[in-house]
Amino acid sequence: MPSDPQPILKVENLEAWYGESKALHGMNFDVREGELVTLIGRNGAGKTSTLRSIMGIVGNRTGSIQFRGKELIRKRTYQIAQEGIAYCPEERAIFASLSVAENMTLPPVLRPGGLSDKDLFEAFPNLHARRKSGGSKLSGGEQQMLAIARILRTGSRFILLDEPSEGLAPVIVKQIGTQILRLKEQGFTIVLVEQNLQFARLVADRHVVVENGQVVDTLTPEDLSADLDRVKTYLGV
Amino acid sequence: MTRTLWLGLLLVALIAAPLAIYPVLLMSILCFVIFASSFNLLLGYAGLLCFGHAMFFGTAAYVAGYLLKTYGVSVEVALIAGTLLSAAMGYVVGIISVRRSGIQFAMITLAISQFVYFLLLQAEFTGGEDGMQRIPRSTLFGIFDVSDHMAFYYVTLTVAVLAVAFFYRVVHSPFGEILRAIRDNEPRVESLGFRPERYKILAMTLSAGLAGLAGALKAMVFQFATLTDVSWPISAEVILMTLLGGLGTLTGPMLGAGIVILMNDELAQFGEWALIAQGVILLLVIIFFRRGVVGELSALWRRLRPSPDQNQDRG
């Protein structure tokens, strides 16, 4: 992948605020087509804020976010989504008043190449079994699958995933890992925020280490395995 | 299947009702059923608390009344004119207000409705403080004479059934799903690529149109239109109906409309006490029956029966 010099996402000097408090202090990193990049770091380091800033769901942000050559910093959230970035938030945000099927079919088809309802239910058979259930009645793992499934419908090929493994049983984490790898094989580009190192090192091409709202290091999977102790100090574990 | 049966029975009961009950009372309930449904579309489904819904209701009542008195248009023309004018008003109010939510949205809509109130108070054609009296019930489609209460009841019933069917269609459409999703979590809906304001403005337009239909119909039922129709107590009353019946339930606000109208009718002889009774009932509902009459009943129903969720899934 390093042979492809043009990153599709280029974040430069990104700063973000929630009201008075500053969450990002000049983030710099990029993501190339087809890559799976993780953002790792301590709680509160700014990983989630980075994803939210890319989507424009923060109070205020400055700097530059270029996606496929277009500047996103002045765009609104829905416009950013329409450019082809899909966001799956940590809290999953399943719509409680809608059924599973309604949640799944709600997102708009923004461009060709999205998965059809049939493909989605094939990829996530548990969701098919529960398609008539209310969105609030799902288990954590099912919610996570639904949250991932529904953004695949839009046709966006660039996905921001925030802690998909959080709070889930190991067997479910494994299932979700398999799904993520499958997406990568299908050519999706993925930015993954992850605390779970075991999970992160199984799937990622590159790890971007975030500390105090800045990028302090970039690691390859080999670095990660070779120098696990250093990485653990980054994570504070 | 049983639902079709119940709907059929209800329809038969509604058709037979004026034989037993005073038709004007029934018509008044039906008008407020439409009005409450229109409010429910906004608050129950889109999560927008409009505190000036009377402006759509009252303006349409005046416009329909004016057209009937001055030009003698037929019934359906007056209804359509009232509906369209209110829908247009709703569109404009929507553009101004939907960027805000919660209490700010409520206050902006209240302010606009007060503005409309004073415009109508000053306008010549409304008759000011006296209101607009002796609005004729003209012919339906220019042919049928529907001026007596019995005949007009069936016109009102038809319009109400169509309006409720329209409301049902809207809330069960993909558009209705998006509205509910916006109410649940607006930022999430936006990050999926929807522009929430567009959907809220459309909801506002549809809701205002339905409120206008109710107002125009009301002008013909009572044969007058007054400042009361555009005043804020009407806006408050429709909120009461919706909360009492059950917010966000399909039928709750309709039932709420019936309860409030009947209550007002029964308590009218006690003057000011009617308002006090309304207040006490609202308090009781808010404290003990948060989900409203229909909300509480369906919760009870669910508790008594095994969850349909689990049974239907395995099919």
Side-chain angles (χ1 to χ4, degrees), chain B residues 85-135:
Chain B
L85 186 93
S86 286
M89 252 173 96
Y91 180 73
V92 174
V93 174
I95 286 174
I96 299 171
S97 59
V98 296
R99 282 216 159 224
R100 303 272 164 252
S101 59
I103 196 78
Q104 291 179 340
F105 178 83
M107 288 300 116
I108 292 172
T109 48
L110 175 62
I112 298 173
S113 82
Q114 289 304 94
F115 175 71
V116 170
Y117 177 89
F118 285 105
L119 273 184
L120 290 169
L121 173 63
Q122 296 298 326
E124 288 277 310
F125 82 96
T126 60
E129 299 270 7
D130 300 332
M132 191 182 279
Q133 309 292 338
R134 284 193 300 282
I135 296 170

Side-chain angles (χ1 to χ4, degrees), chain A residues 41-105:
Chain A
R42 280 171 227 260
N43 271 330
K47 305 180 302 285
T48 295
S49 298
T50 305
L51 298 192
R52 292 177 63 94
S53 302
I54 293 171
M55 286 313 287
I57 324 178
V58 286
N60 194 10
R61 59 195 174 140
T62 63
S64 164
I65 303 165
Q66 294 217 351
F67 180 68
R68 297 190 197 280
K70 280 189 189 157
E71 181 55 66
L72 302 183
I73 201 84
R74 265 177 244 298
K75 288 196 194 287
R76 284 190 46 192
T77 303
Y78 74 93
Q79 293 168 318
I80 293 167
Q82 286 172 1
E83 289 293 336
I85 302 184
Y87 172 51
C88 181
E90 189 179 0
E91 69 277 13
R92 294 154 197 160
I94 301 304
F95 300 115
S97 336
L98 304 183
S99 71
V100 170
E102 287 169 339
N103 263 287
M104 184 102 106
T105 54

Side-chain angles (χ1 to χ4, degrees), chain B residues 21-39:
Chain B
I21 307 167
Y22 182 47
V24 174
L25 178 65
L26 288 172
M27 287 190 276
S28 140
I29 291 175
L30 289 172
C31 288
F32 279 90
V33 162
I34 303 174
F35 190 38
S37 297
S38 89
F39 185 78

Side-chain angles (χ1 to χ4, degrees), chain A residues 118-144:
Chain A
K118 197 169 142 273
D119 296 340
L120 288 173
F121 280 129
E122 259 170 39
F124 298 94
N126 329 22
L127 296 180
H128 186 254
R130 307 218 52 187
R131 65 193 180 280
K132 285 182 184 153
S133 306
S136 57
K137 298 209 172 108
L138 297 181
S139 70
E142 287 167 333
Q143 284 187 25
Q144 189 61 59

